[in-house]
């Protein structure tokens, strides 16, 4: 996971697109079933924690999502814990060249 990079217009492989659609369906189901704004209802919890790195990948690779899934992605990325994590990553001097595009 590299929160310091974004790749606008990144072309996903077909199998990756299928994985994205599956995650998107899970997110939409959780939001609809429990009424949001988080995956299991009004409180940020374990399901959100588990999927926040996925939201980060969607951000990095500019993945187009449904409006409901995009809204969740934005909320996950804006959560104070994630904002703190991303801010800390910005201060890191360590870079692994093999993970840079």
């Amino acid at each position: 996971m590299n929160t310091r990079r974004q790749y606008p217009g990144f072309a996903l492989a077909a199998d990756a697109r299928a994985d994205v659609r599956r995650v998107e369906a899970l997110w939409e189901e959780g939001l609809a079933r429990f009424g949001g704004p988080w995956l299991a209802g009004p409180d940020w919890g374990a399901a959100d924690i588990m999927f926040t790195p996925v939201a980060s990948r969607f951000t990095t690779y500019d993945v187009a999502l449904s409006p409901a899934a995009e809204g969740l992605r934005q909320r996950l990325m804006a959560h104070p814990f994630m904002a703190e994590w991303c801010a800390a990553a910005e201060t890191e001097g360590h870079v692994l060249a093999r993970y840079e595009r």
Side-chain angles (χ1 to χ4, degrees):
M1 185 169 111
N2 187 346
T3 64
R4 297 184 294 178
R5 298 287 180 262
Q6 291 186 347
Y7 305 108
F10 186 86
L12 293 175
D15 56 341
R17 282 194 305 275
D19 290 341
V20 167
R21 298 290 81 88
R22 177 67 182 134
V23 169
E24 190 176 44
L26 289 169
W27 287 8
E28 290 172 351
E29 180 182 347
L31 291 167
R33 182 174 179 187
F34 298 108
W38 303 106
L39 284 170
D43 299 316
W44 186 74
D48 304 296
I49 293 166
M50 184 183 79
F51 277 113
T52 297
V54 175
S56 174
R57 286 292 181 100
F58 288 169
T59 301
T60 298
Y61 293 104
D62 194 30
V63 176
L65 300 168
S66 70
E70 175 60 19
L72 178 62
R73 184 200 65 77
Q74 290 176 13
R75 287 189 298 281
L76 292 171
M77 294 303 294
H79 190 279
F81 291 158
M82 189 59 180
E84 180 182 351
W85 191 4
C86 291
E90 290 295 327
T91 69
E92 289 183 2
H94 186 74
V95 173
L96 296 174
R98 69 181 176 265
Y99 295 121
E100 301 297 316
R101 285 192 88 225

